[in-house]
Amino acid sequence: MRYATRYATAAVLTTLSAMALPAAAENAPAPPYLMTDANTVTIAVTWKAESLTGLLPAGVTPAEDLSGGLNVYDAEAGYGLTPYSAAYAYVNLAGWDSASGAPARHILGGWYGPDPKVAAAMRTHFGAAVATGDAGQTEDGDLWTGTGGDGAGTIELVVRPSGDCVAGGGTLNYVAEAGGGAGLGLLQIPFTGDYCMAEPVSVEISGPEGSALAQIEVDEMLAGGRLRNGAFTFTK
């Protein structure tokens, strides 16, 4: 019996090791992807209407209030893409609400990386308009800053924590062109973590001439927050 147990354990470990190998490959495996040990700083905003002109794919319209936001985050563990970091801007959409009632989103631009396979996977499988870049977060006194970019552009978010963290979760939908004439694609993200309320302090966005990040303009900052110890998946 002890021999059988040792054999079964070795077989399981061998199988798990084989399953883990694609995560270290030069090209990312196909989704779904799992992210754990994630930390996010985010600011919800409204966008100036004229700054969104021409940035949404056919078949989708922005939310009536022109709301959206910006996220800077890192995910240290998981499967498929991790570890990686990201910084991006998005607009909320009319329709396509998630199962938890959150408005759907469309990524306007941003960066994933620093490994190029991460941004490539986001473009290929989810139609995300993102380039290769890096992001990080720092804490200085009562301020938390998230910064990401690629040398040609930057997103910088500064928030001031304003309350205790509470456990939470939900589902987010991201809509983009599926590519290859297949119409629209839907990225679904169930998530959980410790959500911490924060006061938005500042937003800075820049990008190369002609890019969405050079075009969009914040009208008003609405709220800030942090997600600590997050876990989520990317699924089609």
Side-chain angles (χ1 to χ4, degrees), residues 75-117:
E76 294 301 317
Y79 169 76
L81 298 181
T82 54
Y84 75 90
S85 62
Y88 66 93
Y90 66 88
V91 60
N92 290 333
L93 303 179
W96 304 82
D97 290 1
S98 76
S100 60
R105 302 171 172 183
H106 174 70
I107 293 177
L108 297 167
W111 301 272
Y112 279 69
D115 192 323
K117 75 179 182 184

PDB file of all heavy atoms in Angstrom, residues 75-117:
ATOM      1  N   ALA A  75       0.328  40.966 -10.896  1.00  0.00           N
ATOM      2  CA  ALA A  75      -0.100  39.627 -10.482  1.00  0.00           C
ATOM      3  C   ALA A  75       1.145  38.759 -10.413  1.00  0.00           C
ATOM      4  O   ALA A  75       1.813  38.553 -11.430  1.00  0.00           O
ATOM      5  CB  ALA A  75      -1.113  39.057 -11.467  1.00  0.00           C
ATOM      6  N   GLU A  76       1.453  38.274  -9.236  1.00  0.00           N
ATOM      7  CA  GLU A  76       2.724  37.592  -9.017  1.00  0.00           C
ATOM      8  C   GLU A  76       2.682  36.099  -9.297  1.00  0.00           C
ATOM      9  O   GLU A  76       3.705  35.484  -9.608  1.00  0.00           O
ATOM     10  CB  GLU A  76       3.187  37.834  -7.582  1.00  0.00           C
ATOM     11  CG  GLU A  76       3.527  39.285  -7.286  1.00  0.00           C
ATOM     12  CD  GLU A  76       4.627  39.794  -8.203  1.00  0.00           C
ATOM     13  OE1 GLU A  76       5.610  39.060  -8.433  1.00  0.00           O
ATOM     14  OE2 GLU A  76       4.491  40.921  -8.706  1.00  0.00           O
ATOM     15  N   ALA A  77       1.533  35.466  -9.164  1.00  0.00           N
ATOM     16  CA  ALA A  77       1.460  34.013  -9.308  1.00  0.00           C
ATOM     17  C   ALA A  77       0.214  33.636 -10.089  1.00  0.00           C
ATOM     18  O   ALA A  77      -0.661  34.457 -10.344  1.00  0.00           O
ATOM     19  CB  ALA A  77       1.452  33.338  -7.931  1.00  0.00           C
ATOM     20  N   GLY A  78       0.149  32.360 -10.471  1.00  0.00           N
ATOM     21  CA  GLY A  78      -0.996  31.881 -11.229  1.00  0.00           C
ATOM     22  C   GLY A  78      -0.570  30.950 -12.333  1.00  0.00           C
ATOM     23  O   GLY A  78       0.393  30.180 -12.193  1.00  0.00           O
ATOM     24  N   TYR A  79      -1.247  31.033 -13.480  1.00  0.00           N
ATOM     25  CA  TYR A  79      -0.939  30.168 -14.618  1.00  0.00           C
ATOM     26  C   TYR A  79      -1.134  30.912 -15.928  1.00  0.00           C
ATOM     27  O   TYR A  79      -2.115  31.635 -16.101  1.00  0.00           O
ATOM     28  CB  TYR A  79      -1.845  28.922 -14.628  1.00  0.00           C
ATOM     29  CG  TYR A  79      -1.739  28.158 -15.926  1.00  0.00           C
ATOM     30  CD1 TYR A  79      -0.627  27.362 -16.181  1.00  0.00           C
ATOM     31  CD2 TYR A  79      -2.710  28.288 -16.919  1.00  0.00           C
ATOM     32  CE1 TYR A  79      -0.495  26.704 -17.393  1.00  0.00           C
ATOM     33  CE2 TYR A  79      -2.576  27.631 -18.122  1.00  0.00           C
ATOM     34  CZ  TYR A  79      -1.471  26.833 -18.360  1.00  0.00           C
ATOM     35  OH  TYR A  79      -1.341  26.195 -19.557  1.00  0.00           O
ATOM     36  N   GLY A  80      -0.200  30.736 -16.845  1.00  0.00           N
ATOM     37  CA  GLY A  80      -0.358  31.209 -18.217  1.00  0.00           C
ATOM     38  C   GLY A  80       0.403  32.467 -18.543  1.00  0.00           C
ATOM     39  O   GLY A  80       1.169  32.502 -19.508  1.00  0.00           O
ATOM     40  N   LEU A  81       0.208  33.536 -17.758  1.00  0.00           N
ATOM     41  CA  LEU A  81       0.851  34.819 -18.043  1.00  0.00           C
ATOM     42  C   LEU A  81       1.725  35.314 -16.901  1.00  0.00           C
ATOM     43  O   LEU A  81       2.659  36.066 -17.128  1.00  0.00           O
ATOM     44  CB  LEU A  81      -0.221  35.897 -18.324  1.00  0.00           C
ATOM     45  CG  LEU A  81      -1.133  35.680 -19.520  1.00  0.00           C
ATOM     46  CD1 LEU A  81      -2.110  36.853 -19.638  1.00  0.00           C
ATOM     47  CD2 LEU A  81      -0.341  35.511 -20.804  1.00  0.00           C
ATOM     48  N   THR A  82       1.423  34.944 -15.695  1.00  0.00           N
ATOM     49  CA  THR A  82       2.114  35.488 -14.525  1.00  0.00           C
ATOM     50  C   THR A  82       3.548  34.986 -14.413  1.00  0.00           C
ATOM     51  O   THR A  82       3.863  33.905 -14.904  1.00  0.00           O
ATOM     52  CB  THR A  82       1.349  35.104 -13.258  1.00  0.00           C
ATOM     53  OG1 THR A  82       1.160  33.683 -13.240  1.00  0.00           O
ATOM     54  CG2 THR A  82       0.012  35.805 -13.195  1.00  0.00           C
ATOM     55  N   PRO A  83       4.416  35.765 -13.754  1.00  0.00           N
ATOM     56  CA  PRO A  83       4.153  37.082 -13.168  1.00  0.00           C
ATOM     57  C   PRO A  83       4.175  38.177 -14.230  1.00  0.00           C
ATOM     58  O   PRO A  83       4.951  38.108 -15.180  1.00  0.00           O
ATOM     59  CB  PRO A  83       5.302  37.257 -12.179  1.00  0.00           C
ATOM     60  CG  PRO A  83       6.436  36.501 -12.797  1.00  0.00           C
ATOM     61  CD  PRO A  83       5.808  35.319 -13.480  1.00  0.00           C
ATOM     62  N   TYR A  84       3.325  39.191 -14.050  1.00  0.00           N
ATOM     63  CA  TYR A  84       3.326  40.324 -14.974  1.00  0.00           C
ATOM     64  C   TYR A  84       2.722  41.528 -14.282  1.00  0.00           C
ATOM     65  O   TYR A  84       2.180  41.434 -13.179  1.00  0.00           O
ATOM     66  CB  TYR A  84       2.548  39.993 -16.254  1.00  0.00           C
ATOM     67  CG  TYR A  84       1.041  39.990 -16.096  1.00  0.00           C
ATOM     68  CD1 TYR A  84       0.285  41.134 -16.302  1.00  0.00           C
ATOM     69  CD2 TYR A  84       0.366  38.821 -15.741  1.00  0.00           C
ATOM     70  CE1 TYR A  84      -1.088  41.125 -16.156  1.00  0.00           C
ATOM     71  CE2 TYR A  84      -1.004  38.809 -15.597  1.00  0.00           C
ATOM     72  CZ  TYR A  84      -1.727  39.966 -15.802  1.00  0.00           C
ATOM     73  OH  TYR A  84      -3.102  39.951 -15.645  1.00  0.00           O
ATOM     74  N   SER A  85       2.827  42.688 -14.938  1.00  0.00           N
ATOM     75  CA  SER A  85       2.216  43.907 -14.451  1.00  0.00           C
ATOM     76  C   SER A  85       1.502  44.592 -15.603  1.00  0.00           C
ATOM     77  O   SER A  85       1.759  44.290 -16.773  1.00  0.00           O
ATOM     78  CB  SER A  85       3.256  44.846 -13.830  1.00  0.00           C
ATOM     79  OG  SER A  85       4.205  45.242 -14.804  1.00  0.00           O
ATOM     80  N   ALA A  86       0.600  45.523 -15.281  1.00  0.00           N
ATOM     81  CA  ALA A  86      -0.200  46.164 -16.320  1.00  0.00           C
ATOM     82  C   ALA A  86      -0.642  47.547 -15.880  1.00  0.00           C
ATOM     83  O   ALA A  86      -0.760  47.834 -14.684  1.00  0.00           O
ATOM     84  CB  ALA A  86      -1.429  45.308 -16.646  1.00  0.00           C
ATOM     85  N   ALA A  87      -0.894  48.392 -16.860  1.00  0.00           N
ATOM     86  CA  ALA A  87      -1.483  49.713 -16.643  1.00  0.00           C
ATOM     87  C   ALA A  87      -2.334  50.024 -17.862  1.00  0.00           C
ATOM     88  O   ALA A  87      -1.853  49.915 -18.995  1.00  0.00           O
ATOM     89  CB  ALA A  87      -0.399  50.776 -16.455  1.00  0.00           C
ATOM     90  N   TYR A  88      -3.598  50.388 -17.649  1.00  0.00           N
ATOM     91  CA  TYR A  88      -4.458  50.637 -18.804  1.00  0.00           C
ATOM     92  C   TYR A  88      -5.609  51.566 -18.447  1.00  0.00           C
ATOM     93  O   TYR A  88      -5.949  51.750 -17.269  1.00  0.00           O
ATOM     94  CB  TYR A  88      -5.008  49.326 -19.379  1.00  0.00           C
ATOM     95  CG  TYR A  88      -5.952  48.583 -18.458  1.00  0.00           C
ATOM     96  CD1 TYR A  88      -7.330  48.786 -18.533  1.00  0.00           C
ATOM     97  CD2 TYR A  88      -5.475  47.676 -17.520  1.00  0.00           C
ATOM     98  CE1 TYR A  88      -8.195  48.108 -17.694  1.00  0.00           C
ATOM     99  CE2 TYR A  88      -6.333  46.992 -16.683  1.00  0.00           C
ATOM    100  CZ  TYR A  88      -7.691  47.217 -16.770  1.00  0.00           C
ATOM    101  OH  TYR A  88      -8.552  46.553 -15.928  1.00  0.00           O
ATOM    102  N   ALA A  89      -6.208  52.156 -19.479  1.00  0.00           N
ATOM    103  CA  ALA A  89      -7.387  53.006 -19.347  1.00  0.00           C
ATOM    104  C   ALA A  89      -8.556  52.324 -20.046  1.00  0.00           C
ATOM    105  O   ALA A  89      -8.381  51.649 -21.060  1.00  0.00           O
ATOM    106  CB  ALA A  89      -7.128  54.382 -19.974  1.00  0.00           C
ATOM    107  N   TYR A  90      -9.760  52.516 -19.512  1.00  0.00           N
ATOM    108  CA  TYR A  90     -10.936  51.885 -20.103  1.00  0.00           C
ATOM    109  C   TYR A  90     -12.136  52.827 -20.034  1.00  0.00           C
ATOM    110  O   TYR A  90     -12.175  53.769 -19.242  1.00  0.00           O
ATOM    111  CB  TYR A  90     -11.264  50.573 -19.382  1.00  0.00           C
ATOM    112  CG  TYR A  90     -11.702  50.725 -17.948  1.00  0.00           C
ATOM    113  CD1 TYR A  90     -13.039  50.931 -17.606  1.00  0.00           C
ATOM    114  CD2 TYR A  90     -10.772  50.707 -16.912  1.00  0.00           C
ATOM    115  CE1 TYR A  90     -13.438  51.097 -16.292  1.00  0.00           C
ATOM    116  CE2 TYR A  90     -11.160  50.866 -15.587  1.00  0.00           C
ATOM    117  CZ  TYR A  90     -12.496  51.064 -15.285  1.00  0.00           C
ATOM    118  OH  TYR A  90     -12.884  51.238 -13.978  1.00  0.00           O
ATOM    119  N   VAL A  91     -13.126  52.545 -20.870  1.00  0.00           N
ATOM    120  CA  VAL A  91     -14.399  53.250 -20.843  1.00  0.00           C
ATOM    121  C   VAL A  91     -15.501  52.236 -20.579  1.00  0.00           C
ATOM    122  O   VAL A  91     -15.457  51.112 -21.090  1.00  0.00           O
ATOM    123  CB  VAL A  91     -14.649  54.014 -22.157  1.00  0.00           C
ATOM    124  CG1 VAL A  91     -14.687  53.073 -23.367  1.00  0.00           C
ATOM    125  CG2 VAL A  91     -15.946  54.822 -22.090  1.00  0.00           C
ATOM    126  N   ASN A  92     -16.472  52.605 -19.756  1.00  0.00           N
ATOM    127  CA  ASN A  92     -17.635  51.740 -19.536  1.00  0.00           C
ATOM    128  C   ASN A  92     -18.550  51.781 -20.751  1.00  0.00           C
ATOM    129  O   ASN A  92     -18.615  52.792 -21.460  1.00  0.00           O
ATOM    130  CB  ASN A  92     -18.406  52.190 -18.292  1.00  0.00           C
ATOM    131  CG  ASN A  92     -17.647  51.912 -17.013  1.00  0.00           C
ATOM    132  OD1 ASN A  92     -16.822  51.000 -16.947  1.00  0.00           O
ATOM    133  ND2 ASN A  92     -17.915  52.701 -15.985  1.00  0.00           N
ATOM    134  N   LEU A  93     -19.277  50.686 -20.958  1.00  0.00           N
ATOM    135  CA  LEU A  93     -20.121  50.538 -22.136  1.00  0.00           C
ATOM    136  C   LEU A  93     -21.593  50.472 -21.769  1.00  0.00           C
ATOM    137  O   LEU A  93     -21.957  50.055 -20.662  1.00  0.00           O
ATOM    138  CB  LEU A  93     -19.737  49.274 -22.909  1.00  0.00           C
ATOM    139  CG  LEU A  93     -18.289  49.156 -23.372  1.00  0.00           C
ATOM    140  CD1 LEU A  93     -18.080  47.835 -24.096  1.00  0.00           C
ATOM    141  CD2 LEU A  93     -17.903  50.330 -24.261  1.00  0.00           C
ATOM    142  N   ALA A  94     -22.440  50.848 -22.730  1.00  0.00           N
ATOM    143  CA  ALA A  94     -23.878  50.657 -22.596  1.00  0.00           C
ATOM    144  C   ALA A  94     -24.189  49.215 -22.990  1.00  0.00           C
ATOM    145  O   ALA A  94     -23.812  48.767 -24.071  1.00  0.00           O
ATOM    146  CB  ALA A  94     -24.624  51.634 -23.495  1.00  0.00           C
ATOM    147  N   GLY A  95     -24.871  48.480 -22.100  1.00  0.00           N
ATOM    148  CA  GLY A  95     -25.133  47.070 -22.370  1.00  0.00           C
ATOM    149  C   GLY A  95     -23.942  46.207 -21.994  1.00  0.00           C
ATOM    150  O   GLY A  95     -22.927  46.696 -21.492  1.00  0.00           O
ATOM    151  N   TRP A  96     -24.074  44.893 -22.189  1.00  0.00           N
ATOM    152  CA  TRP A  96     -23.005  43.934 -21.913  1.00  0.00           C
ATOM    153  C   TRP A  96     -22.668  43.837 -20.419  1.00  0.00           C
ATOM    154  O   TRP A  96     -21.595  43.386 -20.041  1.00  0.00           O
ATOM    155  CB  TRP A  96     -21.707  44.276 -22.665  1.00  0.00           C
ATOM    156  CG  TRP A  96     -21.823  44.390 -24.144  1.00  0.00           C
ATOM    157  CD1 TRP A  96     -22.250  45.457 -24.858  1.00  0.00           C
ATOM    158  CD2 TRP A  96     -21.473  43.400 -25.112  1.00  0.00           C
ATOM    159  NE1 TRP A  96     -22.184  45.207 -26.200  1.00  0.00           N
ATOM    160  CE2 TRP A  96     -21.720  43.946 -26.384  1.00  0.00           C
ATOM    161  CE3 TRP A  96     -20.970  42.105 -25.026  1.00  0.00           C
ATOM    162  CZ2 TRP A  96     -21.486  43.252 -27.563  1.00  0.00           C
ATOM    163  CZ3 TRP A  96     -20.726  41.413 -26.192  1.00  0.00           C
ATOM    164  CH2 TRP A  96     -20.988  41.984 -27.449  1.00  0.00           C
ATOM    165  N   ASP A  97     -23.579  44.261 -19.535  1.00  0.00           N
ATOM    166  CA  ASP A  97     -23.289  44.214 -18.101  1.00  0.00           C
ATOM    167  C   ASP A  97     -22.910  42.801 -17.664  1.00  0.00           C
ATOM    168  O   ASP A  97     -23.394  41.805 -18.216  1.00  0.00           O
ATOM    169  CB  ASP A  97     -24.497  44.671 -17.284  1.00  0.00           C
ATOM    170  CG  ASP A  97     -24.769  46.161 -17.417  1.00  0.00           C
ATOM    171  OD1 ASP A  97     -24.027  46.830 -18.148  1.00  0.00           O
ATOM    172  OD2 ASP A  97     -25.730  46.635 -16.797  1.00  0.00           O
ATOM    173  N   SER A  98     -22.062  42.713 -16.647  1.00  0.00           N
ATOM    174  CA  SER A  98     -21.613  41.414 -16.161  1.00  0.00           C
ATOM    175  C   SER A  98     -22.681  40.762 -15.295  1.00  0.00           C
ATOM    176  O   SER A  98     -23.683  41.380 -14.917  1.00  0.00           O
ATOM    177  CB  SER A  98     -20.330  41.564 -15.339  1.00  0.00           C
ATOM    178  OG  SER A  98     -20.618  42.093 -14.059  1.00  0.00           O
ATOM    179  N   ALA A  99     -22.442  39.498 -14.929  1.00  0.00           N
ATOM    180  CA  ALA A  99     -23.391  38.761 -14.104  1.00  0.00           C
ATOM    181  C   ALA A  99     -23.578  39.406 -12.740  1.00  0.00           C
ATOM    182  O   ALA A  99     -24.637  39.272 -12.126  1.00  0.00           O
ATOM    183  CB  ALA A  99     -22.922  37.314 -13.938  1.00  0.00           C
ATOM    184  N   SER A 100     -22.570  40.123 -12.249  1.00  0.00           N
ATOM    185  CA  SER A 100     -22.688  40.785 -10.944  1.00  0.00           C
ATOM    186  C   SER A 100     -23.218  42.210 -11.063  1.00  0.00           C
ATOM    187  O   SER A 100     -23.261  42.946 -10.081  1.00  0.00           O
ATOM    188  CB  SER A 100     -21.326  40.792 -10.235  1.00  0.00           C
ATOM    189  OG  SER A 100     -20.356  41.490 -11.004  1.00  0.00           O
ATOM    190  N   GLY A 101     -23.613  42.616 -12.289  1.00  0.00           N
ATOM    191  CA  GLY A 101     -24.221  43.922 -12.484  1.00  0.00           C
ATOM    192  C   GLY A 101     -23.272  45.046 -12.808  1.00  0.00           C
ATOM    193  O   GLY A 101     -23.698  46.193 -12.966  1.00  0.00           O
ATOM    194  N   ALA A 102     -21.972  44.764 -12.928  1.00  0.00           N
ATOM    195  CA  ALA A 102     -21.006  45.808 -13.265  1.00  0.00           C
ATOM    196  C   ALA A 102     -21.098  46.150 -14.746  1.00  0.00           C
ATOM    197  O   ALA A 102     -21.291  45.260 -15.583  1.00  0.00           O
ATOM    198  CB  ALA A 102     -19.593  45.348 -12.927  1.00  0.00           C
ATOM    199  N   PRO A 103     -20.965  47.425 -15.121  1.00  0.00           N
ATOM    200  CA  PRO A 103     -20.979  47.770 -16.543  1.00  0.00           C
ATOM    201  C   PRO A 103     -19.783  47.170 -17.262  1.00  0.00           C
ATOM    202  O   PRO A 103     -18.690  47.070 -16.685  1.00  0.00           O
ATOM    203  CB  PRO A 103     -20.919  49.302 -16.540  1.00  0.00           C
ATOM    204  CG  PRO A 103     -20.324  49.664 -15.214  1.00  0.00           C
ATOM    205  CD  PRO A 103     -20.781  48.610 -14.260  1.00  0.00           C
ATOM    206  N   ALA A 104     -19.996  46.758 -18.491  1.00  0.00           N
ATOM    207  CA  ALA A 104     -18.892  46.230 -19.290  1.00  0.00           C
ATOM    208  C   ALA A 104     -17.894  47.339 -19.602  1.00  0.00           C
ATOM    209  O   ALA A 104     -18.210  48.531 -19.515  1.00  0.00           O
ATOM    210  CB  ALA A 104     -19.421  45.620 -20.577  1.00  0.00           C
ATOM    211  N   ARG A 105     -16.689  46.929 -19.989  1.00  0.00           N
ATOM    212  CA  ARG A 105     -15.613  47.876 -20.250  1.00  0.00           C
ATOM    213  C   ARG A 105     -14.975  47.604 -21.610  1.00  0.00           C
ATOM    214  O   ARG A 105     -14.994  46.479 -22.097  1.00  0.00           O
ATOM    215  CB  ARG A 105     -14.530  47.758 -19.164  1.00  0.00           C
ATOM    216  CG  ARG A 105     -15.021  47.994 -17.748  1.00  0.00           C
ATOM    217  CD  ARG A 105     -13.962  47.654 -16.733  1.00  0.00           C
ATOM    218  NE  ARG A 105     -14.335  48.035 -15.372  1.00  0.00           N
ATOM    219  CZ  ARG A 105     -13.556  47.903 -14.313  1.00  0.00           C
ATOM    220  NH1 ARG A 105     -12.332  47.391 -14.463  1.00  0.00           N
ATOM    221  NH2 ARG A 105     -13.978  48.275 -13.123  1.00  0.00           N
ATOM    222  N   HIS A 106     -14.371  48.644 -22.167  1.00  0.00           N
ATOM    223  CA  HIS A 106     -13.534  48.512 -23.362  1.00  0.00           C
ATOM    224  C   HIS A 106     -12.197  49.168 -23.072  1.00  0.00           C
ATOM    225  O   HIS A 106     -12.146  50.338 -22.649  1.00  0.00           O
ATOM    226  CB  HIS A 106     -14.189  49.174 -24.571  1.00  0.00           C
ATOM    227  CG  HIS A 106     -13.305  49.198 -25.786  1.00  0.00           C
ATOM    228  ND1 HIS A 106     -12.984  48.068 -26.496  1.00  0.00           N
ATOM    229  CD2 HIS A 106     -12.642  50.228 -26.387  1.00  0.00           C
ATOM    230  CE1 HIS A 106     -12.182  48.385 -27.497  1.00  0.00           C
ATOM    231  NE2 HIS A 106     -11.955  49.686 -27.447  1.00  0.00           N
ATOM    232  N   ILE A 107     -11.104  48.434 -23.265  1.00  0.00           N
ATOM    233  CA  ILE A 107      -9.770  48.976 -23.025  1.00  0.00           C
ATOM    234  C   ILE A 107      -9.411  49.967 -24.130  1.00  0.00           C
ATOM    235  O   ILE A 107      -9.426  49.623 -25.317  1.00  0.00           O
ATOM    236  CB  ILE A 107      -8.729  47.852 -22.940  1.00  0.00           C
ATOM    237  CG1 ILE A 107      -8.971  46.996 -21.686  1.00  0.00           C
ATOM    238  CG2 ILE A 107      -7.309  48.428 -22.914  1.00  0.00           C
ATOM    239  CD1 ILE A 107      -8.027  45.821 -21.547  1.00  0.00           C
ATOM    240  N   LEU A 108      -9.077  51.180 -23.727  1.00  0.00           N
ATOM    241  CA  LEU A 108      -8.709  52.221 -24.686  1.00  0.00           C
ATOM    242  C   LEU A 108      -7.231  52.154 -25.046  1.00  0.00           C
ATOM    243  O   LEU A 108      -6.846  52.497 -26.171  1.00  0.00           O
ATOM    244  CB  LEU A 108      -9.035  53.598 -24.090  1.00  0.00           C
ATOM    245  CG  LEU A 108     -10.527  53.841 -23.809  1.00  0.00           C
ATOM    246  CD1 LEU A 108     -10.696  55.076 -22.929  1.00  0.00           C
ATOM    247  CD2 LEU A 108     -11.289  53.993 -25.118  1.00  0.00           C
ATOM    248  N   GLY A 109      -6.400  51.741 -24.115  1.00  0.00           N
ATOM    249  CA  GLY A 109      -4.970  51.634 -24.369  1.00  0.00           C
ATOM    250  C   GLY A 109      -4.240  51.350 -23.086  1.00  0.00           C
ATOM    251  O   GLY A 109      -4.778  51.539 -21.983  1.00  0.00           O
ATOM    252  N   GLY A 110      -2.996  50.874 -23.208  1.00  0.00           N
ATOM    253  CA  GLY A 110      -2.200  50.605 -22.030  1.00  0.00           C
ATOM    254  C   GLY A 110      -1.050  49.676 -22.314  1.00  0.00           C
ATOM    255  O   GLY A 110      -0.657  49.479 -23.481  1.00  0.00           O
ATOM    256  N   TRP A 111      -0.517  49.083 -21.252  1.00  0.00           N
ATOM    257  CA  TRP A 111       0.684  48.253 -21.357  1.00  0.00           C
ATOM    258  C   TRP A 111       0.554  47.011 -20.479  1.00  0.00           C
ATOM    259  O   TRP A 111       0.025  47.087 -19.368  1.00  0.00           O
ATOM    260  CB  TRP A 111       1.911  49.038 -20.909  1.00  0.00           C
ATOM    261  CG  TRP A 111       2.141  50.281 -21.705  1.00  0.00           C
ATOM    262  CD1 TRP A 111       2.843  50.408 -22.870  1.00  0.00           C
ATOM    263  CD2 TRP A 111       1.670  51.599 -21.388  1.00  0.00           C
ATOM    264  NE1 TRP A 111       2.830  51.711 -23.288  1.00  0.00           N
ATOM    265  CE2 TRP A 111       2.110  52.458 -22.410  1.00  0.00           C
ATOM    266  CE3 TRP A 111       0.910  52.121 -20.341  1.00  0.00           C
ATOM    267  CZ2 TRP A 111       1.831  53.822 -22.422  1.00  0.00           C
ATOM    268  CZ3 TRP A 111       0.607  53.478 -20.348  1.00  0.00           C
ATOM    269  CH2 TRP A 111       1.075  54.304 -21.378  1.00  0.00           C
ATOM    270  N   TYR A 112       1.078  45.894 -20.978  1.00  0.00           N
ATOM    271  CA  TYR A 112       1.198  44.649 -20.215  1.00  0.00           C
ATOM    272  C   TYR A 112       2.613  44.130 -20.418  1.00  0.00           C
ATOM    273  O   TYR A 112       3.166  44.239 -21.517  1.00  0.00           O
ATOM    274  CB  TYR A 112       0.198  43.594 -20.713  1.00  0.00           C
ATOM    275  CG  TYR A 112      -1.203  43.761 -20.180  1.00  0.00           C
ATOM    276  CD1 TYR A 112      -1.999  44.839 -20.567  1.00  0.00           C
ATOM    277  CD2 TYR A 112      -1.755  42.849 -19.292  1.00  0.00           C
ATOM    278  CE1 TYR A 112      -3.284  44.996 -20.090  1.00  0.00           C
ATOM    279  CE2 TYR A 112      -3.048  42.993 -18.811  1.00  0.00           C
ATOM    280  CZ  TYR A 112      -3.806  44.066 -19.217  1.00  0.00           C
ATOM    281  OH  TYR A 112      -5.077  44.220 -18.727  1.00  0.00           O
ATOM    282  N   GLY A 113       3.208  43.545 -19.390  1.00  0.00           N
ATOM    283  CA  GLY A 113       4.555  43.019 -19.549  1.00  0.00           C
ATOM    284  C   GLY A 113       5.208  42.752 -18.195  1.00  0.00           C
ATOM    285  O   GLY A 113       4.519  42.525 -17.216  1.00  0.00           O
ATOM    286  N   PRO A 114       6.527  42.861 -18.109  1.00  0.00           N
ATOM    287  CA  PRO A 114       7.432  43.326 -19.165  1.00  0.00           C
ATOM    288  C   PRO A 114       7.738  42.301 -20.250  1.00  0.00           C
ATOM    289  O   PRO A 114       8.315  42.635 -21.279  1.00  0.00           O
ATOM    290  CB  PRO A 114       8.703  43.685 -18.390  1.00  0.00           C
ATOM    291  CG  PRO A 114       8.695  42.776 -17.207  1.00  0.00           C
ATOM    292  CD  PRO A 114       7.248  42.622 -16.822  1.00  0.00           C
ATOM    293  N   ASP A 115       7.363  41.022 -20.030  1.00  0.00           N
ATOM    294  CA  ASP A 115       7.586  40.013 -21.063  1.00  0.00           C
ATOM    295  C   ASP A 115       6.650  40.282 -22.241  1.00  0.00           C
ATOM    296  O   ASP A 115       5.428  40.372 -22.050  1.00  0.00           O
ATOM    297  CB  ASP A 115       7.316  38.624 -20.486  1.00  0.00           C
ATOM    298  CG  ASP A 115       7.784  37.503 -21.385  1.00  0.00           C
ATOM    299  OD1 ASP A 115       7.670  37.643 -22.625  1.00  0.00           O
ATOM    300  OD2 ASP A 115       8.264  36.479 -20.866  1.00  0.00           O
ATOM    301  N   PRO A 116       7.171  40.401 -23.467  1.00  0.00           N
ATOM    302  CA  PRO A 116       6.318  40.713 -24.618  1.00  0.00           C
ATOM    303  C   PRO A 116       5.191  39.707 -24.847  1.00  0.00           C
ATOM    304  O   PRO A 116       4.166  40.042 -25.441  1.00  0.00           O
ATOM    305  CB  PRO A 116       7.299  40.710 -25.803  1.00  0.00           C
ATOM    306  CG  PRO A 116       8.623  41.014 -25.194  1.00  0.00           C
ATOM    307  CD  PRO A 116       8.610  40.365 -23.844  1.00  0.00           C
ATOM    308  N   LYS A 117       5.344  38.473 -24.355  1.00  0.00           N
ATOM    309  CA  LYS A 117       4.301  37.469 -24.600  1.00  0.00           C
ATOM    310  C   LYS A 117       2.991  37.834 -23.905  1.00  0.00           C
ATOM    311  O   LYS A 117       1.920  37.402 -24.329  1.00  0.00           O
ATOM    312  CB  LYS A 117       4.766  36.091 -24.143  1.00  0.00           C
ATOM    313  CG  LYS A 117       4.769  35.872 -22.632  1.00  0.00           C
ATOM    314  CD  LYS A 117       5.221  34.478 -22.260  1.00  0.00           C
ATOM    315  CE  LYS A 117       5.178  34.264 -20.745  1.00  0.00           C
ATOM    316  NZ  LYS A 117       5.710  32.940 -20.356  1.00  0.00           N
TER     317      LYS A 117
END
